[in-house]
Amino acid sequence: MTASSTVPPVTRSGIAPGIAHPGLILAFLSIAQFMVFLDVSIVNVALPSIEHDLRISEANLPYVVTLYGAILGGFLLLGSRLADALGRRRMLQIGLAVFGLASLAAGVAQDQSILFTARAAQGLGSAFIAPAALSTLTTTFTGGSARAKALGVWGALTGIASVAGVTLGGVLSDGPGWRWIFFINVPVALGAVLLAPRVLPETRGPRRRFDALGAGLLTASLLSLLFGLNETIEQGWTSTVVIGFLALGVLLLTLFIAVERRTAAPLVPLDVFRPRLTRSANLATLFLLGTVVTVFFFASLFLQQVLGYTPLQTGLAYVPLAVLVAVGAGVASNLVSRVPGKIVLVTGLVLLTTALVLLALAPASIGFLTGVLPIFALAGLGMGLSFVPLQIAAQAGVPEQRAGLAAGLINTSQEVGGALGVAVSATWAFRRVDALTEAAHGDPALIEAARTAVFHDGFTVGAVFAGLALITALILLPAIPRHEGPIAA
């Protein structure tokens, strides 16, 4: 069970030879991945509490979200290569250790610099955990119904973790405090590190060179762009700091493309973008996740700082949205084998765009049952209907030997899209915080109106991202092939 192997043969049972307890392996991998997914959503509800306790300015608050996504997206493909070369169980243990230590550091953070550094480290740990866990799953469950069931469990984790994350974030923030959204990861990560040698086999993929320079350039370019965008909130677009970091980001991205063209083993072979379907699917995904993460970021602030919800009430308010994401994904999974996937995608994006427009117009007096709930229902259903056809489009027509690369690219597009979405929307929304606050002269009604206007600007940018995803789907995306079989992969 601990023997190292490359690609295991397919057996009639669909389980790799030598695996005595596949259910235990699936449970272990599911818990590890659940922790990664949970940490994406659990932090959103706690943002106002974190902002207050650590005295983080609204201009810097997006870093709590964007640093995690940028590091995760930048190092995800490198993490996959490292898992193949050094051993998947080993990289999973390293990732869990990094994630656990970073969670501890985030929980004890007394200022924003320590919290931001810890969030970046959590992203790095997640970039090692996610590909190692998924590749271990696919080499354990090698085919047939066993793999379909395992991938079904894996795919369901996203929806379940999103529900659990927002709810648990509210419970912990209202109870022992926001620091426990990070402390809760520590015993889970430590236990997983110690149990991994007893539960998981050690497997390796084909030995390939890994492009550390490419990963470094990609991540550095993303961080430079995020920092430049964020600094516009306080310094304006004409600041030399802003111009310098944005220019540096573009330069590093250009260098990344040049390195990928010339290196013998590129992190991202650029010819993978040659098919129009792959290109358009990743672009639409980038815009879609820019919308999704913007919704979670600004809705958490709007519900608590304008509507006066407690963290627990905010977490519970998200539950219908998260449930309808899962429902929409289930409906889409059935529809894509019967009707063109592009129709399903466009329907979902129209619903999501409508929801963002309604959020951008929502008054400070909006009620939950008559306002927030219907809008969240539209958003959740739209997200669920959109995720599935884009996943299919990203994988359609990709040769078997590049299936892992295609999966890595769509996941990278999701993480990068989410980080850039929050950075851009926060840049636009928070640009006039100081002016509106000064104009309020301490009047509570005017302060509430100012906050409402700021969050409306954030939702407006989210609506623009959703509209760009819709335009991409309508104009650039070719027909999505009908899909027969499990979608959860």
Side-chain angles (χ1 to χ4, degrees), residues 144-159:
S145 61
R147 172 176 279 198
K149 290 178 182 177
L151 289 174
V153 171
W154 188 265
L157 287 175
T158 304

Side-chain angles (χ1 to χ4, degrees), residues 295 299 302 354-363 372 375-376 379 455-456 459:
V295 169
F302 181 74
T354 303
L356 264 295
V357 171
L358 292 174
L359 283 172
L361 299 173
V372 175
I375 295 174
F376 274 14
F455 299 146
H456 280 174
F459 291 131

Side-chain angles (χ1 to χ4, degrees), residues 79 130 165-166 201 335 363 403:
V166 292
L335 285 178

Side-chain angles (χ1 to χ4, degrees), residues 253-313:
L253 190 59
T254 304
L255 288 175
F256 167 74
I257 294 172
V259 167
E260 298 308 283
R261 283 178 173 171
R262 296 186 180 184
T263 188
L267 184 70
V268 182
L270 298 180
D271 62 345
V272 75
F273 293 109
R274 196 169 293 156
R276 183 181 165 194
L277 188 59
T278 302
R279 220 170 39 238
S280 303
N282 277 273
L283 181 61
T285 297
L286 187 141
F287 289 136
L288 173 61
L289 267 292
T291 305
V292 170
V293 181
T294 295
V295 169
F296 279 100
F297 181 83
F298 280 102
S300 296
L301 297 175
F302 181 74
L303 291 176
Q304 293 180 66
Q305 296 184 351
V306 174
L307 300 187
Y309 287 22
T310 66
L312 177 58
Q313 289 172 327

